[in-house]
Amino acid sequence: MSDLSRAPRVLVVGGAGYIGSHMVKYLDKKGAEITVLDNLSTGHRDLITAGKFIEGDLGDTELLDSIFEEGNIDVVMHFAASSLVGESVADPLKYYVNNVSRTANLLSAMQHRGIKNFIFSSTAAVYGEPDTLPITETTRTNPTNPYGATKLAVERMLKDCDAGFGLKSICLRYFNACGADESAIIGERHQPETHLIPLVLQVAAGRREHISVFGNDYETKDGTCLRDYIHVNDLAQAHYLAMNELLDGADSSIYNLGNSTGFSVRQVIDQVRLVTNEKINVIDAPRRVGDPAVLVADSAKARQELGWQPQYESLAVMIESAWAWHQRDFSEISENN
Ligand code: UDP
């Protein structure tokens, strides 16, 4: 626990999204006092299971000031972002506005009210096509798309804010987030969905005809890309530990969050077959532009310095938890929440 003698007061920006909503549930279990700020552009009201909810946008500087003016925020966790790689290539300015400029608004409001602790959702996309594997935090950053570039721009902005006015930040570079809380009351619900595991589960659930495998001629054991999948509640655990470090006076830092194991696209599909016992139609498709063959993290730094201990390391467990969520009757959920 942190040095605070009371429950930490946490602003979760983007707490109605996939990872943010798991964070809210995790923080609630730990007894934190939670405020959620979300504009519901991609998030869902019904995924917020705890805390005070404020519907609003990071473009609203008056709203931000009023949130911080009350003096009841110790730390800000920032999950809100546009995160579709393909869209970022086609519409880069949307990404620079939503991910960089809006974050500058948030940091400026924090600076104005003297709030100094910030946890940032960064991404493996900051590395682009890595020169060496596994990827450590010192591996050269070289994003290959505007999404990764905007996340890296925020990391740089945070470094400058530390030097300029003492803002302390921890940047967490997620590899492939997946899975759902055991309760299956929250989970991944993107529109449109582009990620491998939820798409394969949609095929298993009969909501999609087939899964396209993007490229079968990579230099990997079965020709398909290798990714490092990490359970969303393990990401939440890392944020919680990072928060306590900041509240204890830690310096700014950057951590990779992954399992340090690579699974191929075919291995994921096979594991979904095993977990669901359903037939999965697979179609071989061309490579997706910008996909590196292998992205695997070295997360030793987070384990050593934060004491991070992922609890859901097996691919089967990750997929089982996502499957429980996918089997829910989504027809009961209206388009608007
Ligand atoms: N992938 C695929 N078919 C799909 C979606 C993804 O073959 O319909 C592959 C993709 O090329 C990558 C891996 O699955 O190699 C993980 O992709 P995802 O979009 O889930 O995450 P990313 O690694 O791009 O962040």
Side-chain angles (χ1 to χ4, degrees), residues 126-149:
V126 300
Y127 296 110
E129 185 91 47
D131 300 332
T132 51
L133 289 164
I135 300 169
T136 71
E137 292 80 358
T138 55
T139 298
R140 186 174 62 108
T141 51
N142 186 23
T144 51
N145 54 62
Y147 168 64

Side-chain angles (χ1 to χ4, degrees), residues 68 116 153 164 216 228 251-252 262:
F68 293 123
K116 294 274 164 76
N216 58 15
D228 184 335
D251 251 334
S252 296

Side-chain angles (χ1 to χ4, degrees), residues 176 194-197 199 211-214 225 227 229 265 288 291 295:
N176 288 62
T194 63
H195 293 116
L196 179 65
I197 291 178
L199 287 175
I211 184 74
S212 299
V213 173
F214 295 148
C225 291
R227 291 291 179 274
Y229 294 91
V265 174
R288 192 169 65 176
D291 269 343
L295 286 177

Side-chain angles (χ1 to χ4, degrees), residues 160-173:
D160 293 339
C161 289
D162 190 355
F165 59 93
L167 180 91
K168 296 298 168 202
S169 68
I170 293 186
C171 297
L172 299 174
R173 293 176 175 164

